[in-house]
Amino acid sequence: MGFSIAISGKGGTGKTTLSAMLVRLLIGKSPQAVLAVDADPNSCLGITLGVEPETTIANLRDDVLKQKIEPGQGIGKLEAFGYACQQSLTEANGFDLLTMGRPEGPSCYCAANNTLRAFLSQLSASYGYVLTDNEAGMEHLSRRTNTDINVLVIVAEPTKVGVVTAHRILELTKSLPMSVGRIGVVWSRSRKQVDLKLDGISVFGTVPYDEAVFELAVEGRSLFELSKDSAAMKAAEGILNRILDN
Ligand SMILES: Nc1ncnc2c1ncn2[C@@H]1O[C@H](COP(=O)(O)OP(=O)(O)O)[C@@H](O)[C@H]1O
Ligand SMILES: [Mg+2]
């Protein structure tokens, strides 16, 4: 099983930005590739990683529901769906991207969901690291039942609101159906060093507000273009060391 890192937090806190920087830093740390999973229905991890996904798991799931996926000879509808999921991986240099997308059909299509779960756990076995950029409510995580999370990163703004939200997310993790290893907060887009008190959660680090990150975002350019010496990349390096417990 690949070492699994899940990124969570409120919308707009910097989850996708941190995810992309961590994916970049994880490449080469294991002989196997890195799997980046965009689990936010408003998928934008691809933009920050400079790759364009052709389709999403949600689209494929809707296709199988609407019978648009024709099972081949001798294979069933679900098998065809599993195969299509595998084909939907976007391959890039040192990493693959899986985009979950936004399902439009009925939320409970249990057979397809089971196939998806089996696919996801099988998939994570062939990567050294699996990093998931989650949506605010972690709905995707709460539907997954069989892949454990090694480290959960809560991205929060360095304010009182951020502190309150981080604690709420910590509470939420107790109801998740899988085991969660270590949990830590990343203070994101900080304009100064802050010393905020958290109760029962450690801090992996602080990503400073970095003009260079903003400049790239304005033009929709990938974070692979960010200088390794930039304040944000340097901070992400320290954070990754804590995540991996080096
Ligand atoms: N460290 C940073 N410095 C400057 N801008 C940042 C930083 N982190 C994120 N941003 C910007 O803030 C906005 C929201 O970040 P994003 O990573 O998309 O948040 P989320 O995924 O949590 O919604 C984006 O425009 C992004 O470029
Ligand atoms: Mg995001």
Side-chain angles (χ1 to χ4, degrees), residues 8-228:
S8 64
K10 235 170 73 167
T13 48
K15 292 184 298 295
T16 302
T17 303
L18 180 67
S19 297
M21 292 194 291
L22 292 178
V23 166
R24 182 177 161 183
L25 292 166
L26 282 168
I27 294 172
K29 280 206 186 289
S30 132
Q32 291 159 300
V34 177
L35 176 64
V37 181
D38 189 347
D40 191 333
N42 174 28
S43 324
C44 26
L45 187 58
I47 298 176
T48 59
L49 288 172
V51 292
E52 217 171 302
E54 264 175 47
T55 186
T56 67
I57 295 292
N59 285 340
L60 295 173
R61 187 178 160 283
D62 291 338
D63 284 353
V64 71
L65 254 182
K66 293 177 192 149
Q67 315 266 337
K68 279 196 212 155
I69 292 181
E70 284 292 319
Q73 276 197 328
I75 70 165
K77 201 161 86 161
L78 288 173
E79 221 176 315
F81 170 58
Y83 183 71
C85 289
Q86 181 70 42
Q87 297 294 304
S88 76
L89 278 172
T90 312
E91 289 175 23
N93 213 350
F95 71 94
D96 291 348
L97 173 68
L98 183 74
T99 307
M100 302 305 290
R102 189 191 301 276
E104 279 164 12
S107 61
C108 186
Y109 180 43
C110 300
N113 291 350
N114 289 340
T115 303
L116 185 54
R117 270 197 288 271
F119 163 71
L120 286 174
S121 59
Q122 211 175 40
L123 187 69
S124 38
S126 45
Y127 292 89
Y129 294 98
V130 179
L131 184 137
T132 310
D133 178 15
N134 291 285
E135 81 273 55
M138 298 199 292
E139 279 86 7
H140 166 68
L141 283 184
S142 57
R143 282 192 305 268
R144 255 167 52 181
T145 53
N146 44 8
T147 13
D148 292 340
I149 295 169
N150 293 94
V151 178
L152 178 75
V153 180
I154 302 172
V155 181
E157 57 176 87
T159 61
K160 175 75 186 167
V161 167
V163 170
V164 171
T165 313
H167 284 115
R168 282 191 191 139
I169 292 175
L170 181 70
E171 276 309 303
L172 204 69
T173 58
K174 292 177 184 156
S175 61
L176 288 177
M178 75 282 278
S179 93
V180 178
R182 285 180 303 119
I183 301 176
V185 167
V186 167
W187 300 121
S188 176
R189 259 186 333 191
S190 183
R191 291 189 188 257
K192 58 186 255 195
Q193 207 55 42
V194 288
D195 185 25
L196 290 159
K197 293 276 168 290
L198 285 163
D199 194 8
I201 328 177
S202 58
V203 177
F204 287 140
T206 302
V207 180
Y209 178 87
D210 187 337
E211 200 66 39
V213 170
F214 181 70
E215 302 277 326
L216 289 175
V218 168
E219 296 182 30
R221 282 155 65 192
S222 118
L223 287 170
F224 279 93
E225 290 186 49
L226 195 60
S227 159
K228 272 208 170 241

